Amino acid sequence: MRSGSYGRLFRIFLPLMDILLIELSYLLAFNIRFYGTFPAFSLEKSFYFWLAPITWFWFHAQGMYMKTKKSWGQQFYDLIRALGLTVVASIAFTVLFLSHSFVFPRTVLAIAFVVQLLFLMSWRYFIWRFFREQKKPNAIVIGNWAEVTEVASKLENDPTYKVRGLVLTDQEGGQISNQFPVIGKLPDFQWLIEKIAFDAVFICPAVHSEEKRWILSLCFKENKTVLVVPNLYEIFLNNAKVGQVDDLPLFEVGEISLPENLDFVKRVTDILFSILGIIVSMPLMFIAAILIKIENPSGPIFYKQERLGKGSKPFKLMKFRTMVPDAELKTGPIFATKNDPRITQVGKLLRLTRLDELPQFFNVLKGEMSLVGPRPERPFFVEKFAKEIPEYPYRLRLKAGITGLAQVAGKYDTAVGNKLKYDLLYARSYSLMNDFRILFKTVGVMFTKEKAQ
C-alpha cells in the first residue's frame, strides 16, 4: 500500500461512492420535497454530469482521500467542510450555466445537504473503522539518536507504518517509550533482520553511504521495503541527467535554476493566473479590508515587509495586516507563535484561511514573485539560517512563490531544514504540471490549520 493514499480502493472506489451518494441525495431530496412526483427539471442530466467532477475536486482539495491518522471528530469536520464547499460550488454552477433551464428550490438544497451528511457520515465512518482496525506493517528506524526520535515521532502520527523498534548508529540513548524500544546498534542489523519480524526499514541521513549499501543488500535479499530519508546531497541527485564518458556512466548535476524556455512559460502563466486571481478574489479582498478598518480604523490595511527574492534581490511583500501596528518594535524580527497576542481578531481569521496572502497576486504581477516557489524570507532569517545550514541560500536561485511544495507537504512547525529539502526537491523536479498540482493542493491547505505557512 503506497504511503499517502489508501491505495487503489481509495483512488477509485471511494471517490465513486462519494459521488454516487451525493447524486442520489439530490434525487432523494426532490422525492421528499415533491412527495414522490419528480418534476422534469429535477432530472437535468448536465447537472448530474458536472456534479461528479465538482465533488471529486473539492473532496480531493480537502484531503478526503489522503491516508492520515485522524480522529473521527477531525474526519467529520473535514467531511462537513468538503461537503459544504461542494454544495456552494454546485449552486454557483447552476446559477452560472444552468439557470436558463434549471430551477433549484432552496428547500431541496437544504434537504439534500442533510441527506448527504447522513449518507456520507455513515459511509465514511464505516471506512474509517475498517482501516483503523487493519494491521499496519512494522518498520524499524536506523540512524543517530536525534534522527530516529524525530522519524519515530512522525511515524506515530502516520497510519502507514507501525514502529517496531529503533537501531542506532551512535552509542547514545535508551528508549523513547515502551512503544519505541531501541532494539540494537547498526552492526547488529544482519542479526536483527534474521531474528526480528518487520516489513520495512527507514534509513536516516546519519547512515553512511557504504552502510546504506550494506543495509539495502540485506533488505533486498529478505524482500523488505526500504525508505530513505534523503540528505541534501541525495536531493541534488534527484532528476540528475544521466550521461557517460567513454563507457563510464555519469550523473550530471545541473544548476538550481529553470531553463530559459520554462522560465518564460512560467512567467506567462504567472501573469495570466495572477490577473485571474485578482479578479476572482477582489470581493474577498474588499471584505477583508473593511473588517481590518472596522477593528482598527487608524491602522493601515496592508502590511509591507522586506523579503529576499530571486538572486537575493529585496522586494516589499504585500499582505493584509494581521497584527497590531509596530508588532516587532520591542522584540525585533521573530516568527509568529500559536496564540500570539500580537495577532488581531480579524488577523486570526485571515491567517486561518490564508486570505492575508491574497495581495501577493500583485507581487506576482510585478514579477517579484511567482505563484509557486520557495516562500520568501526576511534578510535577518536568511542570514541566520545560512549560518546553520550552508545550503540554505540555494533556494534564492528560484523566484519566490505565494505557495510551494513545503507549504502543501509540510506543516507550520516543520523544521527549516526539512522545508529547505522540499524547496530543493521542487527545484530539482520542476515542471508546469507540478506547479498545477501544488496550486490544486493549496486549496485544501487554505482550510487546514496545521499546514505550513
Side-chain angles (χ1 to χ4, degrees):
M1 186 176 294
R2 295 178 55 189
S3 176
S5 70
Y6 283 127
R8 181 173 298 180
L9 172 66
F10 276 69
R11 291 196 303 271
I12 300 175
F13 181 66
L14 183 58
L16 288 177
M17 279 297 297
D18 288 338
I19 292 169
L20 177 63
L21 291 175
I22 286 179
E23 295 197 342
L24 284 176
S25 70
Y26 279 107
L27 292 175
L28 183 58
F30 273 109
N31 189 37
I32 295 173
R33 168 63 178 82
F34 295 99
Y35 307 105
T37 303
F38 283 84
F41 60 76
S42 69
L43 299 174
E44 175 65 48
K45 294 181 180 179
S46 59
F47 170 73
Y48 293 97
F49 174 81
W50 287 108
L51 183 59
I54 290 172
T55 301
W56 180 88
F57 176 86
W58 283 112
F59 272 58
H60 260 290
Q62 298 306 309
M64 295 301 295
Y65 304 121
M66 296 299 292
K67 185 180 179 183
T68 55
K69 187 178 182 180
K70 296 179 180 178
S71 65
W72 170 244
Q74 181 62 46
Q75 291 270 6
F76 183 61
Y77 169 76
D78 291 345
L79 175 62
I80 292 178
R81 188 176 61 190
L83 189 58
L85 290 168
T86 300
V87 170
V88 171
S90 302
I91 294 173
F93 179 82
T94 60
V95 171
L96 291 174
F97 300 105
L98 301 178
S99 58
H100 62 286
S101 61
F102 186 70
V103 181
F104 222 135
R106 285 171 291 183
T107 51
V108 170
L109 284 174
I111 295 171
F113 182 80
V114 173
V115 175
Q116 287 166 4
L117 190 58
L118 291 174
F119 279 177
L120 289 171
M121 182 175 64
S122 302
W123 158 241
R124 284 289 185 149
Y125 183 74
F126 168 77
I127 291 295
W128 177 77
R129 286 297 301 267
F130 175 79
F131 279 93
R132 186 185 183 190
E133 295 172 1
Q134 296 303 298
K135 183 180 179 181
K136 297 189 295 184
N138 287 318
I140 65 172
V141 185
I142 305 176
N144 63 31
W145 182 247
E147 291 174 342
V148 295
T149 53
E150 179 186 5
V151 173
S153 63
K154 292 184 182 300
L155 287 174
E156 187 179 14
N157 296 318
D158 185 277
T160 309
Y161 291 99
K162 178 181 179 180
V163 179
R164 175 68 175 82
L166 312 177
V167 177
L168 299 179
T169 58
D170 53 26
Q171 300 302 314
E172 300 177 3
Q175 62 179 31
I176 304 176
S177 67
N178 292 331
Q179 187 178 2
F180 300 139
V182 173
I183 58 176
K185 306 294 183 182
L186 183 54
D188 306 324
F189 182 71
Q190 186 167 2
W191 177 85
L192 291 171
I193 203 170
E194 296 173 355
K195 300 298 182 181
I196 295 181
F198 62 89
D199 306 287
V201 176
F202 283 77
I203 304 177
C204 298
V207 180
H208 298 305
S209 58
E210 284 301 315
E211 294 170 331
K212 289 180 181 178
R213 179 182 175 185
W214 176 62
I215 294 170
L216 284 171
S217 66
L218 293 175
C219 288
F220 288 163
K221 290 178 182 178
E222 300 295 332
N223 294 320
K224 308 293 186 185
T225 301
V226 178
L227 301 102
V228 179
V229 181
N231 56 32
L232 290 173
Y233 164 73
E234 289 163 339
I235 287 178
F236 286 132
L237 290 179
N238 185 55
N239 282 351
K241 184 179 179 180
V242 179
Q244 68 180 75
V245 172
D246 194 8
D247 61 350
L248 179 68
L250 300 170
F251 277 154
E252 180 182 339
V253 183
E255 296 182 0
I256 300 176
S257 60
L258 301 185
E260 187 174 342
N261 61 323
L262 291 180
D263 196 40
F264 173 76
V265 172
K266 187 175 176 66
R267 179 60 188 147
V268 172
T269 305
D270 284 340
I271 292 173
L272 294 176
F273 277 86
S274 61
I275 293 174
L276 178 63
I278 291 170
I279 294 173
V280 172
S281 64
M282 191 60 72
L284 290 174
M285 288 197 278
F286 182 69
I287 294 172
I290 292 176
L291 292 175
I292 292 171
K293 271 299 181 184
I294 290 176
E295 185 175 29
N296 189 346
S298 61
I301 294 174
F302 298 103
Y303 176 64
K304 295 183 179 181
Q305 188 180 68
E306 184 177 76
R307 301 285 178 102
L308 294 184
K310 184 178 180 180
S312 299
K313 184 178 179 181
F315 70 95
K316 294 293 185 180
L317 177 136
M318 290 182 62
K319 298 179 70 173
F320 281 118
R321 184 174 60 82
T322 59
M323 290 188 175
V324 296
D326 299 322
E328 294 182 337
L329 185 62
K330 297 181 179 179
T331 62
I334 58 173
F335 287 117
T337 58
K338 186 178 181 180
N339 300 321
D340 197 316
R342 301 172 300 164
I343 300 176
T344 64
Q345 292 301 312
V346 172
K348 290 179 182 178
L349 174 63
L350 295 179
R351 281 173 172 257
L352 177 64
T353 57
R354 308 300 192 266
L355 296 180
D356 60 319
E357 311 283 356
L358 289 178
Q360 289 165 42
F361 280 125
F362 293 101
N363 290 117
V364 174
L365 196 59
K366 290 166 63 178
E368 298 166 331
M369 294 177 63
S370 177
L371 291 173
V372 181
R375 283 294 294 164
E377 196 50 83
R378 286 184 275 180
F380 173 85
F381 290 112
V382 170
E383 183 178 355
K384 177 179 181 294
F385 296 147
K387 292 178 181 177
E388 301 170 358
I389 310 172
E391 296 85 358
Y392 189 81
Y394 291 156
R395 68 197 299 276
L396 296 175
R397 297 186 182 185
L398 293 176
K399 189 175 288 186
I402 294 179
T403 185
L405 182 59
Q407 281 60 56
V408 299
K411 300 179 181 179
Y412 182 76
D413 58 353
T414 296
V416 173
N418 286 336
K419 287 184 180 180
L420 174 62
K421 288 180 180 180
Y422 281 122
D423 290 335
L424 296 180
L425 279 172
Y426 167 76
R428 297 297 300 158
S429 58
Y430 173 78
S431 71
L432 195 60
M433 186 56 64
N434 278 343
D435 274 7
F436 286 128
R437 290 192 187 101
I438 292 171
L439 289 171
F440 174 80
K441 291 181 180 180
T442 300
V443 177
V445 171
M446 289 176 64
F447 301 92
T448 307
K449 292 181 180 180
E450 66 272 14
K451 281 299 189 178
Q453 296 280 0

